[in-house]
Amino acid sequence: LILSNDLSKFVKGDCFRLKQVLFNLLSNSVKFTPPKGRLTIRVYPVSQDLVKFEVEDTGIGIEAKNLATIFERFSQADNSTTRKYGGSGLGLAISSKLVELMGGKLSVESTLGEGSIF
C-alpha cells in the first residue's frame, strides 16, 4: 500500500461504494496473479477535490484487443478465462458504473503476460 503524503485527512465520497470497487479490483488482482506475483495499491490526490486509487498486479494481463470491452457486462478477456478462473463478467461493469456515479472514471492499462493497472 502506497499512500501519498499529500492526501487530505478527509475525503467526501461514498465509502460503501468505494469499498465495493476496491474489493472487486483486489479480488480480480489476487485471482489473476500467480502466487509469487505482486499487488500494489496506490492512493494519491489528483486535485483538491479528486483522489486517485490504483490497483496494480503482476498477473496474466489482458490482450490489447480485449481492453475496449473489459468494462461491459458479462465480458471476460476470453472464454478460457471463465473456464480457468471463474467469474460472471459483472464485477468490472458494476465497479465502472459505481465509480461513474461517484464522479470518477475506471480505466485500465494492461500488458499480456505482465499485469494490469486499474
Side-chain angles (χ1 to χ4, degrees), residues 13-55:
D14 187 327
C15 67
F16 178 76
R17 286 181 178 162
L18 179 59
K19 285 179 192 177
Q20 188 175 0
V21 170
L22 290 174
F23 179 79
N24 181 61
L25 295 176
L26 288 169
S27 294
N28 281 351
S29 288
V30 168
K31 182 177 9 178
F32 294 111
T33 300
K36 293 188 179 186
R38 179 178 40 87
L39 302 175
T40 305
I41 304 167
R42 292 183 196 87
V43 185
Y44 54 92
V46 175
S47 67
Q48 187 174 4
D49 300 332
L50 187 62
V51 176
K52 184 171 185 173
F53 292 81
E54 286 184 345
V55 176

Side-chain angles (χ1 to χ4, degrees), residues 7 16 25 37 41 63-64 66 73 96 98 102-103 111 116:
L7 281 174
F16 178 76
L25 295 176
I41 304 167
E63 281 189 83
N66 295 323
R73 291 179 300 168
S96 180
L98 290 174
M102 291 186 285
T111 303
S116 303

